[in-house]
Amino acid sequence: MNKINFMIRSFLIVGMIIIMSGCSSEKMNAVAGGNANNEIDEKSEESEERKAVEEKKKFANSTPENDTDTGLKVIKIDTAEEELTDDQKTVIEYFDQDYLRIWDYEAIRRYPQIFDGAQINVAGVVVKILSMDSEQYELVIWMNVCDEDGPWDSEQYEGEYLLLSGKTGEEWFMEGDVLDVYGRSNGVSTVSIDGGSYTVPNIEVQRAYQPEYDGRDGIIFAIQSQKFDLPFIKSVANIVLGDDIEIRKPTVGVDIPEEMAMIYDDYLGVDITDVMFVVELDNQSNAKFTRFLFPEEGGYIEDVKDAMADYESGYQRYFEFAADFQHFFLFTYDQGLEMLTLEYYDTSFNKIWKREFMETTSAQYDYTKNNIYLTANNELYIINIETGEDTYDPAYIGSKVALRKVNEGILMISNDRSDGIIMADLGGSIKWKTNLENDVSDVEGLQIVDDRIIFCYSGMDKEETYVNTYVAIDRESGDILSSFTN
């Protein structure tokens, strides 16, 4: 579960061009051209600032009936309609799972319309530290060079290099470290490695860590996610649940069902107690809220007793923080009854309103400070967050596998490749729809990057082969800009 959009850019300071006496007319023309370019740059910066100011005004003046806000699932820690506090950034980072996992190095180079500016997740071995101090680092990793015995000898294989730039943490990286990297793709840069010049993709790192991994066919698989450590998860728990908590490792059979532990051990080779934390409230007066599971990989918070019941009753309950960071949603799904219950609470666990949706087999949602946008029983509900009542009448839209609220409307992705992606207006009426190449069973890394919609979807192609397809779509028209399948 998961996120925050655009901050105002600062002006670039245009350097003064010194015109020396005796310059040739050719040099004078070059200077004149430079001045013209500077004027264009200044106008572009002014235009960007005006656009950002307008977006802030829209955010301040939006209403449930005219909700021009960006949904919290679209919002990221480095893009926001309003300035975020450190606590808000922490919560957003923990819940954000919208990263394109990339196994194919060539794809990053060949499809800039998909990857440039997108949040991506890659893994590789550090081959060169270009610079590092207590504040910043710049290093090169060799993507996906690993087998069962560890990283391959770099002298035997042609390198697939990525340039990483980020903030230095408590532990400094060294050559030979295997890294699992989360960051934003930032075009390409030219770097020198052992006397050779290379043009490589550049990644602005948000978080990188050394995972326990498995190497198969040259690809690094992080089998034990350690994305978030104990201090980070404790800070998330304090922000969400308050200071009166105890955090500890879970006990199988008490906090986690034995069946779940067996699945982790048999299929992943992971002790589930190594990748989860339990947070228990000191105040046990409300029996509905007592203990919660916080995974190290982030993405969701689950109630312990519902995790224990999942394998017997199909009863699931998850928390999602509201856009104002002062409330939360509680989603409860009963598979046996095919009923979804949505409840809205303040941070003192006082229930404000409740809605039930019958004949629901799947649900997708996003939310702003004004509304929650929810697909249930094949209908789109736009619900006023303050009252819990419908802002607009529900509209039939069929089954969906993903939903995002953008400034101009509601983006939805279907299971069927026909009309696979739909953009509705703020009231739920369709603005455009586009066919996809294959049917969709799952969507990952769904992001809005400027004027592009970017995501990866999995499903059967026409030859009945299960494939992953990466796609970039024009946000305004719905036209497919770029697509590839692997």
Side-chain angles (χ1 to χ4, degrees), residues 327-463:
H327 299 79
F328 65 86
F329 300 103
L330 177 62
F331 293 87
T332 305
Y333 181 59
D334 190 318
Q335 290 180 327
L337 297 178
E338 292 188 348
M339 181 174 71
L340 174 70
T341 302
L342 170 61
E343 297 170 279
Y344 187 56
Y345 289 82
D346 63 23
T347 50
S348 298
F349 301 105
N350 298 307
K351 183 166 63 179
I352 299 172
W353 53 260
K354 174 181 177 181
R355 293 283 300 267
E356 293 180 342
F357 306 90
M358 305 300 295
E359 299 179 3
T360 297
T361 57
S362 66
Q364 305 297 329
Y365 56 89
D366 198 359
Y367 44 92
T368 67
K369 68 177 186 295
N370 300 306
N371 295 315
I372 182 167
Y373 298 81
L374 172 72
T375 63
N377 57 29
N378 293 321
E379 291 194 295
L380 171 65
Y381 293 85
I382 303 176
I383 300 169
N384 186 305
I385 282 182
E386 184 176 350
T387 65
E389 298 176 353
D390 292 331
T391 301
Y392 294 99
D393 291 335
Y396 179 83
I397 44 85
S399 177
K400 302 301 174 191
V401 293
L403 180 150
R404 295 292 186 272
K405 170 63 178 67
V406 294
N407 298 105
E408 68 272 23
I410 308 151
L411 175 71
M412 294 170 284
I413 300 176
S414 308
N415 292 99
D416 198 320
R417 63 177 176 268
S418 178
D419 298 337
I421 182 165
I422 295 173
M423 180 71 80
D425 64 19
L426 297 178
S429 300
I430 294 176
K431 296 176 64 176
W432 55 256
K433 51 188 179 180
T434 298
N435 294 337
L436 294 173
E437 184 178 352
N438 303 308
D439 289 338
V440 181
S441 61
D442 187 40
V443 170
E444 293 184 351
L446 177 55
Q447 305 168 48
I448 308 299
V449 180
D450 297 329
D451 57 356
R452 293 169 292 148
I453 300 163
I454 299 169
F455 60 94
C456 173
Y457 66 95
S458 306
M460 293 293 183
D461 65 10
K462 296 174 183 178
E463 284 72 40

Side-chain angles (χ1 to χ4, degrees), residues 130-386:
L130 301 179
S131 64
M132 179 173 283
D133 58 27
S134 60
E135 299 295 328
Q136 301 284 333
Y137 65 80
E138 192 171 58
L139 56 84
V140 176
I141 67 169
W142 193 5
M143 181 178 169
N144 288 333
V145 282
C146 188
D147 61 17
E148 290 85 350
D149 299 322
W152 287 341
D153 184 352
S154 60
E155 295 181 358
Q156 299 181 31
Y157 299 91
E158 183 178 353
E160 296 181 335
Y161 297 125
L162 300 175
L163 175 65
L164 307 186
S165 303
K167 295 182 179 180
T168 306
E170 182 178 347
E171 294 186 5
W172 290 28
F173 299 132
M174 297 176 60
E175 286 85 351
D177 287 346
V178 173
L179 299 183
D180 194 10
V181 180
Y182 293 81
R184 192 173 291 279
S185 178
N186 192 24
V188 296
S189 300
T190 301
V191 297
S192 178
I193 304 173
D194 297 330
S197 182
Y198 298 84
T199 299
V200 300
N202 187 355
I203 299 174
E204 295 291 335
V205 178
Q206 296 167 351
R207 183 169 292 271
Y209 68 95
Q210 300 180 60
E212 291 190 22
Y213 64 90
D214 181 20
R216 301 191 298 273
D217 300 323
I219 295 176
I220 296 171
F221 294 89
I223 60 173
Q224 184 162 323
S225 174
Q226 300 155 321
K227 184 178 179 183
F228 300 111
D229 58 15
L230 173 59
F232 188 94
I233 291 179
K234 186 176 186 303
S235 67
V236 174
N238 288 141
I239 294 166
V240 175
L241 300 173
D243 294 330
D244 297 328
I245 61 171
E246 175 189 342
I247 187 167
R248 56 178 171 79
K249 285 293 185 179
T251 301
V252 174
V254 176
D255 304 310
I256 293 175
E258 293 181 1
E259 295 89 341
M260 184 187 295
M262 291 173 59
I263 288 173
Y264 270 70
D265 184 54
D266 292 344
Y267 291 95
L268 299 176
V270 173
D271 184 343
I272 194 171
T273 62
D274 289 339
V275 297
M276 293 276 186
F277 288 98
V278 168
V279 175
E280 188 165 1
L281 297 177
D282 290 345
N283 184 354
Q284 297 283 305
S285 60
N286 188 336
K288 198 169 186 178
F289 304 102
T290 56
R291 291 174 293 160
F292 307 89
L293 286 176
F294 284 68
E296 285 187 344
E297 65 181 348
Y300 67 92
I301 299 172
E302 185 177 12
D303 187 275
V304 163
K305 57 178 171 290
D306 297 313
M308 292 295 294
D310 278 350
Y311 288 88
E312 299 176 2
S313 67
Y315 186 78
Q316 300 173 345
R317 192 165 65 155
Y318 295 95
F319 291 83
E320 190 83 63
F321 224 67
D324 64 359
F325 296 93
Q326 301 299 316
H327 299 79
F328 65 86
F329 300 103
L330 177 62
F331 293 87
T332 305
Y333 181 59
D334 190 318
Q335 290 180 327
L337 297 178
E338 292 188 348
M339 181 174 71
L340 174 70
T341 302
L342 170 61
E343 297 170 279
Y344 187 56
Y345 289 82
D346 63 23
T347 50
S348 298
F349 301 105
N350 298 307
K351 183 166 63 179
I352 299 172
W353 53 260
K354 174 181 177 181
R355 293 283 300 267
E356 293 180 342
F357 306 90
M358 305 300 295
E359 299 179 3
T360 297
T361 57
S362 66
Q364 305 297 329
Y365 56 89
D366 198 359
Y367 44 92
T368 67
K369 68 177 186 295
N370 300 306
N371 295 315
I372 182 167
Y373 298 81
L374 172 72
T375 63
N377 57 29
N378 293 321
E379 291 194 295
L380 171 65
Y381 293 85
I382 303 176
I383 300 169
N384 186 305
I385 282 182
E386 184 176 350

Side-chain angles (χ1 to χ4, degrees), residues 87-96 236 239-240 321 325:
D87 283 353
Q88 290 170 339
K89 289 179 181 179
T90 297
V91 173
I92 289 169
E93 184 178 6
Y94 182 77
F95 279 97
D96 186 8
V236 174
I239 294 166
V240 175
F321 224 67
F325 296 93

Side-chain angles (χ1 to χ4, degrees), residues 96-115:
D96 186 8
Q97 298 288 291
D98 290 335
Y99 290 82
L100 293 173
R101 179 68 176 106
I102 303 175
W103 312 98
D104 187 345
Y105 177 83
E106 184 178 341
I108 311 177
R109 299 290 303 275
R110 289 195 180 276
Y111 300 99
Q113 284 187 304
I114 297 176
F115 295 110

